[in-house]
Amino acid sequence: MKLSEIKQHLASLKTIAFELPDGSLVPNHFHVTEVGKITKNFIDCGGTIRNEEVVNFQLWNANDYDHRLHPEKLVHIIELSEKVLNIPDLEIEVEYQGSTIGKYGLDFDGTNFLLTTKQTDCLAKDNCGIPQEKPRVKLSDLQKQTACEPNSGCC
C-alpha cells in the first residue's frame, strides 16, 4: 500500500486497527512512533546495484491506555512527514515489536489495516546459478497422456 492509499482509507474511518498475520490485533492504544523514508542501496549476489525506498511506520505498544491514535491525527503525521522529509508516494513498510522487530507489508480489508508477511528472495537467480523451480506434475496426469503411436513422429 502506498501513502496516498492509506490516507484515502483513513479518511473514511472512525478508528484505526492493525491486524497481525495471525489474526490478532495490535492493541488499540498503540502509537505510531516514527514515520520515515528508508533508502536501501545494495548490490545483489549477481552484481547488480540496486536502490529501494519505502516509507516506514513504526508501531509501538505503549502502556498509555488513555490516548488512542485517531485517523485524522495519523493523516496529519503522514502529511507533515511528506512535507518535512520530502517523501514521495512510496510503498509502506510497517515495523512492529514481536519477539524481535518484525517488518510487514500493509494492506486493508475495508475495516482493518493488515500487516502482511514479507519474504526474502534472491534477486539474481539467473546470474547466480539458482535453478528455476520445476512445475509440479501429478503422476495421475502423466498417465492420462496418450502414448506415442508408431510412425507418429513423436518418438
Side-chain angles (χ1 to χ4, degrees), residues 39-106:
T39 302
K40 181 178 174 182
N41 296 309
F42 61 101
I43 188 166
D44 68 26
C45 60
T48 301
I49 297 171
R50 298 182 184 265
N51 179 306
E52 293 180 357
E53 286 188 327
V54 295
V55 173
N56 181 267
F57 287 13
Q58 185 180 79
L59 304 183
W60 181 56
N61 181 11
N63 291 327
D64 179 5
Y65 298 97
D66 297 326
H67 297 96
R68 185 171 176 159
L69 183 62
H70 294 282
E72 61 276 3
K73 176 69 172 178
L74 183 52
V75 169
H76 174 72
I77 293 167
I78 292 168
E79 289 175 345
L80 179 62
S81 300
E82 287 174 310
K83 178 181 173 186
V84 173
L85 301 174
N86 196 27
I87 300 175
D89 191 23
L90 296 172
E91 287 290 324
I92 299 168
E93 177 179 85
V94 179
E95 290 181 354
Y96 182 68
Q97 182 75 43
S99 58
T100 187
I101 297 173
K103 288 186 174 189
Y104 301 91
L106 190 62

